[in-house]
Amino acid sequence: MAKDKKLVKNITSRDEDFAQWYTDVVREAQLCDYSSVKGCLNYLPNGFAIWELIKADLDRRFKETGVENVYLPCLIPEALLEKEADHIEGFAPEVAWVTHGGMERLQERFCVRPTSETLFCDLWARTVQSYRDLPKVWNQWCSVLRWEKTTRPFLRSREFLWQEGHTIHATYEEAEQRTIQMWQIYKDFYKETMAVPFVAGRKAEHEKFAGAQDTYTVEALMHDGKALQSATSHFFGSGFPEAFGIQYIDKDNQLKNVYETSWGLSTRSIGALIMVHGDDDGLVIPPHLAPVECRVIPIAQHKEGVLEKANELLDELKKAGYRVKIDDSEKSPGWKFSEQEILGIPTRIEIGPKTLKIIRL
């Protein structure tokens, strides 16, 4: 087996060069690849499947608390973005602008969304009138674009996938409670599904999200003790709503302000997963997030009954609800074992002539 392992491309030792080890694992596990658009990634099936499982887990948790999914445009008019001064100042260096439609220059620039607070506020300013319209507890799964100077797969790219939740409430207390509630959901997710250690708390004044009153963070802890910001929940107070003129008529027929929150987690979580669990043999994935939970590997599959029994087991596992595949290629067993480890498949079942003898006994 050790000899066969040399057939698989080497992964740099994590202790020797952590940055190169990370890049090697991403490449060898076929998670993503660089695209022709500088700073943007092609998410390959193995990597996107992990994101789909993360999305499914979080989406369930969100909806259990009353969150509804929506989708808003990816373009934001410049005038709309400038309505909240602190917000635009914080994002100005990273904004990408659309200046032409076809061959014609636009009268007003549009930015490709770096985040969507302004779009949600614009919508609510036109649709929220009464206390009966509150609260709004919405989330969207989408991509955003931020013109980063330096990029690394999953950890920092110009376009990345995420979810961004946005809510407005009738009272300060209700909005603050929602901020804390979503922060707790992220903590539960990292503990129960990701199995990632973290520290969590409120950001310092100079680290808060642009325009936020308070920012609560979940910082995943890497094996070397460094922290990676992995999810955030923001309490905006009434700053954004006042800038956009969002008010409602209460039960006492008085005009009142609303209070806003936003919260998000991105594909950076996949980077945290790799760095916390991966080893020198490749990717390691907790079973909840493994695109393939088990790989069936027939040994000496040319011998009578081996491949048939392997496929029989495959069918049984699929019927039981497991994400399982079979490696019935002509590769050597050692190569198959190494590939299974590189891909981070949690378990494998080997079936060969000796297995069949035991079954018959």
Side-chain angles (χ1 to χ4, degrees):
M1 178 176 170
K3 186 176 181 180
D4 287 330
K5 260 195 152 182
K6 293 180 182 178
L7 299 173
V8 181
K9 291 182 180 179
N10 291 329
I11 294 175
T12 303
S13 170
R14 187 171 62 178
D15 294 331
E16 178 185 333
D17 187 335
F18 185 78
Q20 187 59 51
W21 166 84
Y22 177 84
T23 302
D24 291 346
V25 170
V26 169
R27 182 192 66 241
E28 294 301 314
Q30 303 169 38
L31 300 179
C32 69
D33 195 7
Y34 293 103
S35 76
S36 297
V37 183
K38 188 175 181 181
C40 296
L41 301 173
N42 293 315
Y43 291 84
L44 302 179
N46 289 343
F48 195 74
I50 296 173
W51 178 242
E52 287 181 311
L53 291 166
I54 288 173
K55 177 180 176 180
D57 187 290
L58 277 174
D59 202 58
R60 172 186 59 79
R61 294 176 188 265
F62 292 163
K63 288 176 178 174
E64 287 173 356
T65 71
V67 174
E68 296 178 297
N69 284 336
V70 297
Y71 187 84
L72 275 62
C74 67
L75 298 179
I76 305 174
E78 185 173 11
L80 196 62
L81 195 67
E82 290 178 342
K83 277 195 173 184
E84 215 292 326
D86 290 340
H87 184 67
I88 183 59
E89 183 180 350
F91 276 103
E94 300 175 352
V95 170
W97 294 101
V98 176
T99 60
H100 286 73
M103 301 300 292
E104 296 183 8
R105 188 172 186 85
L106 300 174
Q107 291 183 339
E108 180 183 16
R109 295 191 301 176
F110 290 85
C111 84
V112 183
R113 64 174 168 229
T115 181
S116 300
E117 279 76 12
T118 53
L119 287 172
F120 278 86
C121 284
D122 178 59
L123 173 59
W124 290 330
R126 292 182 282 104
T127 57
V128 172
Q129 298 176 343
S130 164
Y131 68 91
R132 296 184 181 88
D133 299 323
L134 296 172
K136 297 294 188 189
V137 186
W138 291 352
N139 172 68
Q140 71 171 352
W141 295 91
C142 62
S143 67
V144 292
L145 189 67
R146 299 178 184 177
W147 214 255
E148 302 280 0
K149 293 181 179 179
T150 58
T151 61
R152 288 192 68 193
F154 297 117
L155 299 177
R156 190 174 295 277
S157 57
R158 288 180 174 171
E159 182 184 14
F160 56 89
L161 304 175
W162 77 344
Q163 58 74 209
E164 50 175 321
H166 300 269
T167 76
I168 53 171
H169 306 266
T171 68
Y172 183 105
E173 292 76 18
E174 186 181 330
E176 188 175 46
Q177 183 180 14
R178 172 59 69 169
T179 305
I180 301 298
Q181 182 181 28
M182 303 316 292
W183 179 47
Q184 184 61 52
I185 285 175
Y186 291 137
K187 290 192 288 183
D188 291 342
F189 169 74
Y190 270 96
K191 179 181 178 181
E192 298 166 1
T193 302
M194 296 276 284
V196 166
F198 60 84
V199 293
R202 186 162 55 184
K203 286 275 194 181
E205 188 70 23
H206 67 282
E207 291 184 316
K208 293 188 307 185
F209 183 76
Q213 181 173 317
D214 285 309
T215 290
Y216 296 86
T217 185
V218 178
E219 310 270 334
L221 292 176
M222 306 299 101
H223 84 288
D224 58 358
K226 293 181 180 178
L228 177 71
Q229 180 177 291
S230 301
T232 49
S233 186
H234 315 289
F235 176 57
F236 286 108
S238 58
F240 265 104
E242 286 180 2
F244 283 81
I246 308 173
Q247 293 183 307
Y248 72 99
I249 298 175
D250 205 356
K251 294 178 182 179
D252 57 9
N253 209 34
Q254 297 294 311
L255 198 60
K256 295 186 178 180
N257 292 329
V258 299
Y259 299 87
E260 184 183 2
T261 83
S262 77
W263 24 275
L265 176 147
S266 76
T267 38
R268 179 179 289 181
S269 56
I270 299 177
L273 195 76
I274 296 167
M275 291 192 289
V276 169
H277 295 299
D279 58 26
D280 287 350
D281 289 325
L283 190 62
V284 177
I285 314 177
H288 289 304
L289 296 176
V292 179
E293 295 172 286
C294 178
R295 176 176 278 187
V296 177
I297 299 180
I299 308 298
Q301 62 190 46
H302 61 283
K303 293 193 175 180
E304 183 181 357
V306 172
L307 201 54
E308 290 79 5
K309 180 58 67 173
N311 278 298
E312 182 181 314
L313 177 61
L314 178 73
D315 292 339
E316 289 180 9
L317 290 171
K318 283 183 176 179
K319 288 177 183 177
Y322 292 100
R323 297 185 295 275
V324 59
K325 288 187 176 182
I326 188 171
D327 187 347
D328 55 1
S329 67
E330 295 299 323
K331 299 171 185 174
S332 68
W335 188 299
K336 293 180 181 182
F337 299 156
S338 295
E339 188 174 58
Q340 175 246 332
E341 291 178 353
I342 287 173
L343 295 175
I345 299 172
T347 58
R348 70 171 178 251
I349 299 176
E350 304 166 23
I351 297 181
K354 292 181 180 179
T355 311
L356 296 183
K357 287 182 179 179
I358 294 172
I359 293 173
R360 290 178 185 129
L361 290 174

